[in-house]
Amino acid sequence: MSEPTVYHIPVCPFCQRLEILLSLKGQRNQVRFRVIDVTQARPEFLLEKTRGSTALPILETADGRILKESLVILQYLEDLYPEPVVAQRDPYRRAVESLLVRMEAEFCNHGYAFVMNQDAGRRDAHRAGMLRQYARLDEFLMEHAPSGPFLFEAFGWAETVFTPLFMRFWFLEYYEDFQLPAELARVRAWRDACLSHPAAQQVSREQIVKLYYDYAKGAGNGALLPGRRQSSFSFKPDWPERPWPPRDKYGHSATDEELGL
Ligand SMILES: COc1ccc(C(=O)/C=[SH]/C[C@H](NC(=O)CC[C@H](N)C(=O)O)C(=O)NCC(=O)O)cc1OC
């Protein structure tokens, strides 16, 4: 094996982080990406490599060593391909970047809990919680980068970490009619600049909305819903050939046929 290999799910936000970083560095073709079908049990060869853990992405170095956790793999790739630099080199700026990145897990969890919520009576609580998460980002950016749009001069480390989550939260706009209010202008400017960056165009809004339908019905990571034969994460039929799913997640459960599966 002459190059690193990433085992990934094409639409997983954590896997997309690696593609964005490599794209920024012009090294996307130096790393082999092997697609794993999240709707199927992990293949034995992979479980042997990971000693049983199933979360993706997984990176196998050129000499066969295994790494997991997207933020760790990002740092490995940053060190393996040091130019152009993506993470800040100045110690204080790197610390500020790290403070912002420390907010990604709670931000992610709120968004996924919101889209996976099945209790219409809790919609407003989820919405309020998601708005608080965006307000935290807005406050941080107003303190450290009031003019923007990025945290520093260009799309960098924090943007690489957050942009896949901003893209997944297209499912909140579609299934929960979630919109950022005008008073959160700073984080909205950051989000919009991230969404349009050329290094981050691995997935589209239509793809996310169609593939994540089952998450909106409470089934994550390729799990199968009652009465369904296929997950919305299935690779076939390819998502461009499928119709847009119904938006009414609380009142209707689409069949495989309605989803074009
Ligand atoms: C907070 O809830 C969620 C947040 C994100 C995702 C997601 O996009 C999974 S993407 C695919 C998912 N990968 C991960 O969760 C990796 C997270 C890890 N911390 C990283 O940063 O690499 C996976 O492989 N799951 C299958 C398994 O673990 O066997 C799903 C959520 O709930 C189902």
Side-chain angles (χ1 to χ4, degrees):
M1 184 185 308
S2 59
E3 62 194 353
T5 299
V6 169
Y7 299 93
H8 81 125
I9 303 163
V11 77
C12 158
F14 309 108
C15 306
Q16 189 189 357
R17 288 172 171 170
L18 313 188
E19 294 194 85
I20 292 173
L21 186 83
L22 289 168
S23 178
L24 289 169
K25 288 176 172 291
Q27 300 287 352
R28 175 60 179 80
N29 297 329
Q30 299 307 309
V31 175
R32 183 169 168 238
F33 278 73
R34 282 188 64 176
V35 172
I36 300 294
D37 184 344
V38 75
T39 67
Q40 306 299 319
R42 291 287 179 274
E44 270 312 308
F45 84 88
L46 190 57
L47 291 172
E48 282 168 24
K49 291 179 184 291
T50 64
R51 300 156 66 92
S53 66
T54 55
L56 297 173
I58 295 287
L59 180 138
E60 183 171 15
T61 65
D63 57 0
R65 292 173 290 178
I66 295 295
L67 291 175
K68 58 183 87 169
E69 289 299 328
S70 59
L71 296 183
V72 171
I73 297 171
L74 279 183
Q75 188 60 57
Y76 174 78
L77 294 172
E78 174 76 355
D79 298 338
L80 188 65
Y81 306 113
E83 298 300 336
V85 65
V86 174
Q88 292 295 317
R89 288 288 164 82
D90 170 77
Y92 179 77
R93 286 161 68 111
R94 182 66 174 142
V96 168
E97 197 168 60
S98 299
L99 278 174
L100 181 50
V101 168
R102 288 289 299 262
M103 300 162 77
E104 64 88 19
E106 195 173 336
F107 179 74
C108 175
N109 290 342
H110 271 78
Y112 274 80
F114 189 2
V115 74
M116 294 180 79
N117 173 56
Q118 299 304 298
D119 177 355
R122 290 199 40 72
R123 285 185 84 176
D124 289 345
H126 279 287
R127 184 181 313 281
M130 197 70 238
L131 284 173
R132 272 196 305 278
Q133 290 298 312
Y134 276 103
R136 288 179 69 209
L137 297 177
D138 190 274
E139 185 181 334
F140 186 93
L141 292 164
M142 284 305 289
E143 177 185 353
H144 293 285
S147 52
F150 300 118
L151 177 60
F152 295 113
E153 294 74 15
F155 183 108
W157 189 265
E159 287 78 15
T160 298
V161 170
F162 275 90
T163 299
L165 301 179
F166 291 149
M167 291 184 161
R168 296 314 167 284
F169 295 170
W170 280 322
F171 54 45
L172 295 177
E173 295 172 12
Y174 189 83
Y175 294 113
E176 294 289 357
D177 195 24
F178 179 82
Q179 298 295 335
L180 281 182
E183 59 264 27
L184 295 182
R186 181 63 190 88
V187 68
R188 191 163 60 179
W190 187 48
R191 178 199 64 181
D192 293 348
C194 288
L195 291 174
S196 60
H197 195 276
Q201 303 308 309
Q202 292 83 11
V203 295
S204 70
R205 178 176 179 275
E206 180 179 354
Q207 181 181 11
I208 294 298
V209 166
K210 290 181 177 179
L211 292 181
Y212 277 81
Y213 175 77
D214 289 357
Y215 269 81
K217 297 299 294 179
N221 283 327
L224 209 51
L225 285 159
R228 295 271 304 282
R229 295 181 309 280
Q230 273 188 270
S231 159
S232 57
F233 264 76
S234 297
F235 293 141
K236 296 294 176 193
D238 201 3
W239 60 267
E241 301 156 23
R242 303 182 201 169
W244 285 80
R247 301 181 73 148
D248 174 22
K249 61 173 267 192
Y250 293 98
H252 177 66
S253 297
T255 62
D256 287 341
E257 291 69 29
E258 285 177 82
L259 297 169
L261 293 171

